[in-house]
Amino acid sequence: MAKIKSKAVYDATMARIEELLPLVNDDTPATDKNAIELDLLTEMVEEYEEEHYPIAQPTLVDVMKLRMHEMGLNQTKLSSLLGVSPSRISDIFNGRCEPTLSLAREICRKMNVDANVALGV
C-alpha cells in the first residue's frame, strides 16, 4: 500500500477524507468505491499519524491529576484519602519520588486507576 511521505500529502489526504465522509455511512456497502477509498485513505493517515504524531501513554501523575479533577479533590483532600502527607503527594507530583507499592495499590483502589498505569507498565 502507498505511504504518506510528507505533511502536504497528509493534508491533501485529510481533505479528501473530509469530502468522502458525507458520502459514506453505516449503510454503505463495503463494495462502494467511496467506502473503499475512504478505508484505504484512513489506513494511510493512521500509519502517518502513528509515526509523526504519537500519543504517549499517560503517566501516573497525569492520571491522578485527571481523577482528582473528576473527583473534585485538591492535593490536601487527596493526601487524606490516600493516608499520606500532603508533602508526599507534592513530591510524587513534582517527580521527587515514586509511590511505594502499597501507595500505588491505594491509588488504584481509591482513585479507580488502572494498575498498569500505577506500575508504569
PDB file of all heavy atoms in Angstrom, residues 33-50:
ATOM      1  N   LYS A  33     -17.269   2.277  -4.112  1.00  0.00           N
ATOM      2  CA  LYS A  33     -15.940   2.837  -4.402  1.00  0.00           C
ATOM      3  C   LYS A  33     -15.550   3.927  -3.402  1.00  0.00           C
ATOM      4  O   LYS A  33     -14.380   4.031  -3.034  1.00  0.00           O
ATOM      5  CB  LYS A  33     -15.869   3.357  -5.838  1.00  0.00           C
ATOM      6  CG  LYS A  33     -16.734   4.554  -6.123  1.00  0.00           C
ATOM      7  CD  LYS A  33     -16.597   5.021  -7.550  1.00  0.00           C
ATOM      8  CE  LYS A  33     -17.461   6.283  -7.738  1.00  0.00           C
ATOM      9  NZ  LYS A  33     -17.254   6.888  -9.022  1.00  0.00           N
ATOM     10  N   ASN A  34     -16.507   4.721  -2.944  1.00  0.00           N
ATOM     11  CA  ASN A  34     -16.196   5.749  -1.951  1.00  0.00           C
ATOM     12  C   ASN A  34     -15.816   5.129  -0.612  1.00  0.00           C
ATOM     13  O   ASN A  34     -14.908   5.603   0.068  1.00  0.00           O
ATOM     14  CB  ASN A  34     -17.372   6.708  -1.778  1.00  0.00           C
ATOM     15  CG  ASN A  34     -17.608   7.565  -2.996  1.00  0.00           C
ATOM     16  OD1 ASN A  34     -16.664   7.969  -3.679  1.00  0.00           O
ATOM     17  ND2 ASN A  34     -18.868   7.841  -3.297  1.00  0.00           N
ATOM     18  N   ALA A  35     -16.513   4.068  -0.231  1.00  0.00           N
ATOM     19  CA  ALA A  35     -16.206   3.379   1.023  1.00  0.00           C
ATOM     20  C   ALA A  35     -14.821   2.745   0.960  1.00  0.00           C
ATOM     21  O   ALA A  35     -14.052   2.811   1.932  1.00  0.00           O
ATOM     22  CB  ALA A  35     -17.259   2.321   1.323  1.00  0.00           C
ATOM     23  N   ILE A  36     -14.490   2.160  -0.173  1.00  0.00           N
ATOM     24  CA  ILE A  36     -13.169   1.540  -0.345  1.00  0.00           C
ATOM     25  C   ILE A  36     -12.084   2.600  -0.265  1.00  0.00           C
ATOM     26  O   ILE A  36     -11.069   2.446   0.439  1.00  0.00           O
ATOM     27  CB  ILE A  36     -13.100   0.764  -1.677  1.00  0.00           C
ATOM     28  CG1 ILE A  36     -14.037  -0.439  -1.627  1.00  0.00           C
ATOM     29  CG2 ILE A  36     -11.665   0.336  -1.982  1.00  0.00           C
ATOM     30  CD1 ILE A  36     -14.250  -1.109  -2.970  1.00  0.00           C
ATOM     31  N   GLU A  37     -12.281   3.711  -0.988  1.00  0.00           N
ATOM     32  CA  GLU A  37     -11.286   4.789  -0.972  1.00  0.00           C
ATOM     33  C   GLU A  37     -11.128   5.355   0.435  1.00  0.00           C
ATOM     34  O   GLU A  37     -10.010   5.581   0.905  1.00  0.00           O
ATOM     35  CB  GLU A  37     -11.690   5.897  -1.944  1.00  0.00           C
ATOM     36  CG  GLU A  37     -10.687   7.029  -2.013  1.00  0.00           C
ATOM     37  CD  GLU A  37     -11.090   8.151  -2.950  1.00  0.00           C
ATOM     38  OE1 GLU A  37     -12.201   8.109  -3.532  1.00  0.00           O
ATOM     39  OE2 GLU A  37     -10.288   9.093  -3.083  1.00  0.00           O
ATOM     40  N   LEU A  38     -12.244   5.579   1.125  1.00  0.00           N
ATOM     41  CA  LEU A  38     -12.191   6.114   2.480  1.00  0.00           C
ATOM     42  C   LEU A  38     -11.424   5.178   3.404  1.00  0.00           C
ATOM     43  O   LEU A  38     -10.582   5.620   4.199  1.00  0.00           O
ATOM     44  CB  LEU A  38     -13.604   6.348   3.014  1.00  0.00           C
ATOM     45  CG  LEU A  38     -13.713   6.932   4.416  1.00  0.00           C
ATOM     46  CD1 LEU A  38     -13.044   8.294   4.503  1.00  0.00           C
ATOM     47  CD2 LEU A  38     -15.178   7.026   4.833  1.00  0.00           C
ATOM     48  N   ASP A  39     -11.668   3.898   3.284  1.00  0.00           N
ATOM     49  CA  ASP A  39     -10.986   2.910   4.114  1.00  0.00           C
ATOM     50  C   ASP A  39      -9.480   2.931   3.858  1.00  0.00           C
ATOM     51  O   ASP A  39      -8.680   2.944   4.800  1.00  0.00           O
ATOM     52  CB  ASP A  39     -11.570   1.518   3.845  1.00  0.00           C
ATOM     53  CG  ASP A  39     -11.048   0.482   4.814  1.00  0.00           C
ATOM     54  OD1 ASP A  39     -11.053   0.753   6.033  1.00  0.00           O
ATOM     55  OD2 ASP A  39     -10.621  -0.598   4.353  1.00  0.00           O
ATOM     56  N   LEU A  40      -9.089   2.962   2.600  1.00  0.00           N
ATOM     57  CA  LEU A  40      -7.663   2.970   2.260  1.00  0.00           C
ATOM     58  C   LEU A  40      -6.979   4.253   2.734  1.00  0.00           C
ATOM     59  O   LEU A  40      -5.881   4.208   3.316  1.00  0.00           O
ATOM     60  CB  LEU A  40      -7.475   2.809   0.747  1.00  0.00           C
ATOM     61  CG  LEU A  40      -7.855   1.447   0.174  1.00  0.00           C
ATOM     62  CD1 LEU A  40      -7.819   1.478  -1.346  1.00  0.00           C
ATOM     63  CD2 LEU A  40      -6.926   0.369   0.711  1.00  0.00           C
ATOM     64  N   LEU A  41      -7.614   5.377   2.506  1.00  0.00           N
ATOM     65  CA  LEU A  41      -7.026   6.649   2.924  1.00  0.00           C
ATOM     66  C   LEU A  41      -6.923   6.742   4.447  1.00  0.00           C
ATOM     67  O   LEU A  41      -5.929   7.244   4.984  1.00  0.00           O
ATOM     68  CB  LEU A  41      -7.841   7.824   2.374  1.00  0.00           C
ATOM     69  CG  LEU A  41      -7.819   8.001   0.856  1.00  0.00           C
ATOM     70  CD1 LEU A  41      -8.707   9.162   0.442  1.00  0.00           C
ATOM     71  CD2 LEU A  41      -6.404   8.188   0.333  1.00  0.00           C
ATOM     72  N   THR A  42      -7.932   6.230   5.119  1.00  0.00           N
ATOM     73  CA  THR A  42      -7.922   6.251   6.581  1.00  0.00           C
ATOM     74  C   THR A  42      -6.761   5.424   7.123  1.00  0.00           C
ATOM     75  O   THR A  42      -6.077   5.839   8.061  1.00  0.00           O
ATOM     76  CB  THR A  42      -9.262   5.730   7.133  1.00  0.00           C
ATOM     77  OG1 THR A  42     -10.312   6.545   6.621  1.00  0.00           O
ATOM     78  CG2 THR A  42      -9.290   5.747   8.643  1.00  0.00           C
ATOM     79  N   GLU A  43      -6.505   4.280   6.527  1.00  0.00           N
ATOM     80  CA  GLU A  43      -5.373   3.442   6.957  1.00  0.00           C
ATOM     81  C   GLU A  43      -4.047   4.158   6.728  1.00  0.00           C
ATOM     82  O   GLU A  43      -3.146   4.101   7.570  1.00  0.00           O
ATOM     83  CB  GLU A  43      -5.387   2.109   6.210  1.00  0.00           C
ATOM     84  CG  GLU A  43      -6.465   1.166   6.684  1.00  0.00           C
ATOM     85  CD  GLU A  43      -6.470  -0.157   5.930  1.00  0.00           C
ATOM     86  OE1 GLU A  43      -5.411  -0.539   5.387  1.00  0.00           O
ATOM     87  OE2 GLU A  43      -7.525  -0.796   5.888  1.00  0.00           O
ATOM     88  N   MET A  44      -3.929   4.850   5.601  1.00  0.00           N
ATOM     89  CA  MET A  44      -2.704   5.587   5.304  1.00  0.00           C
ATOM     90  C   MET A  44      -2.491   6.714   6.312  1.00  0.00           C
ATOM     91  O   MET A  44      -1.379   6.922   6.821  1.00  0.00           O
ATOM     92  CB  MET A  44      -2.754   6.145   3.883  1.00  0.00           C
ATOM     93  CG  MET A  44      -2.674   5.076   2.813  1.00  0.00           C
ATOM     94  SD  MET A  44      -3.072   5.688   1.153  1.00  0.00           S
ATOM     95  CE  MET A  44      -1.943   7.054   0.960  1.00  0.00           C
ATOM     96  N   VAL A  45      -3.551   7.442   6.628  1.00  0.00           N
ATOM     97  CA  VAL A  45      -3.465   8.534   7.596  1.00  0.00           C
ATOM     98  C   VAL A  45      -3.115   7.991   8.977  1.00  0.00           C
ATOM     99  O   VAL A  45      -2.291   8.565   9.691  1.00  0.00           O
ATOM    100  CB  VAL A  45      -4.785   9.347   7.620  1.00  0.00           C
ATOM    101  CG1 VAL A  45      -4.885  10.209   8.864  1.00  0.00           C
ATOM    102  CG2 VAL A  45      -4.915  10.190   6.366  1.00  0.00           C
ATOM    103  N   GLU A  46      -3.733   6.891   9.349  1.00  0.00           N
ATOM    104  CA  GLU A  46      -3.463   6.276  10.648  1.00  0.00           C
ATOM    105  C   GLU A  46      -1.983   5.944  10.795  1.00  0.00           C
ATOM    106  O   GLU A  46      -1.362   6.240  11.814  1.00  0.00           O
ATOM    107  CB  GLU A  46      -4.293   4.988  10.763  1.00  0.00           C
ATOM    108  CG  GLU A  46      -4.786   4.688  12.137  1.00  0.00           C
ATOM    109  CD  GLU A  46      -5.736   3.506  12.115  1.00  0.00           C
ATOM    110  OE1 GLU A  46      -6.935   3.709  11.890  1.00  0.00           O
ATOM    111  OE2 GLU A  46      -5.255   2.371  12.298  1.00  0.00           O
ATOM    112  N   GLU A  47      -1.409   5.351   9.754  1.00  0.00           N
ATOM    113  CA  GLU A  47       0.004   4.983   9.770  1.00  0.00           C
ATOM    114  C   GLU A  47       0.889   6.229   9.877  1.00  0.00           C
ATOM    115  O   GLU A  47       1.852   6.260  10.646  1.00  0.00           O
ATOM    116  CB  GLU A  47       0.349   4.199   8.499  1.00  0.00           C
ATOM    117  CG  GLU A  47       1.765   3.683   8.472  1.00  0.00           C
ATOM    118  CD  GLU A  47       2.049   2.896   7.203  1.00  0.00           C
ATOM    119  OE1 GLU A  47       1.210   2.054   6.820  1.00  0.00           O
ATOM    120  OE2 GLU A  47       3.106   3.137   6.592  1.00  0.00           O
ATOM    121  N   TYR A  48       0.556   7.263   9.122  1.00  0.00           N
ATOM    122  CA  TYR A  48       1.321   8.506   9.159  1.00  0.00           C
ATOM    123  C   TYR A  48       1.243   9.142  10.548  1.00  0.00           C
ATOM    124  O   TYR A  48       2.259   9.578  11.105  1.00  0.00           O
ATOM    125  CB  TYR A  48       0.788   9.482   8.101  1.00  0.00           C
ATOM    126  CG  TYR A  48       1.534  10.799   8.046  1.00  0.00           C
ATOM    127  CD1 TYR A  48       2.678  10.938   7.262  1.00  0.00           C
ATOM    128  CD2 TYR A  48       1.090  11.902   8.761  1.00  0.00           C
ATOM    129  CE1 TYR A  48       3.359  12.148   7.209  1.00  0.00           C
ATOM    130  CE2 TYR A  48       1.763  13.113   8.712  1.00  0.00           C
ATOM    131  CZ  TYR A  48       2.895  13.233   7.928  1.00  0.00           C
ATOM    132  OH  TYR A  48       3.568  14.432   7.871  1.00  0.00           O
ATOM    133  N   GLU A  49       0.045   9.192  11.116  1.00  0.00           N
ATOM    134  CA  GLU A  49      -0.134   9.822  12.427  1.00  0.00           C
ATOM    135  C   GLU A  49       0.570   9.053  13.535  1.00  0.00           C
ATOM    136  O   GLU A  49       1.113   9.662  14.460  1.00  0.00           O
ATOM    137  CB  GLU A  49      -1.623   9.977  12.743  1.00  0.00           C
ATOM    138  CG  GLU A  49      -2.281  11.054  11.908  1.00  0.00           C
ATOM    139  CD  GLU A  49      -3.770  11.188  12.161  1.00  0.00           C
ATOM    140  OE1 GLU A  49      -4.379  10.272  12.759  1.00  0.00           O
ATOM    141  OE2 GLU A  49      -4.332  12.219  11.744  1.00  0.00           O
ATOM    142  N   GLU A  50       0.578   7.735  13.451  1.00  0.00           N
ATOM    143  CA  GLU A  50       1.282   6.943  14.459  1.00  0.00           C
ATOM    144  C   GLU A  50       2.770   7.258  14.442  1.00  0.00           C
ATOM    145  O   GLU A  50       3.413   7.279  15.492  1.00  0.00           O
ATOM    146  CB  GLU A  50       1.052   5.452  14.229  1.00  0.00           C
ATOM    147  CG  GLU A  50      -0.314   4.984  14.652  1.00  0.00           C
ATOM    148  CD  GLU A  50      -0.578   3.522  14.320  1.00  0.00           C
ATOM    149  OE1 GLU A  50       0.336   2.828  13.821  1.00  0.00           O
ATOM    150  OE2 GLU A  50      -1.709   3.074  14.553  1.00  0.00           O
TER     151      GLU A  50
END
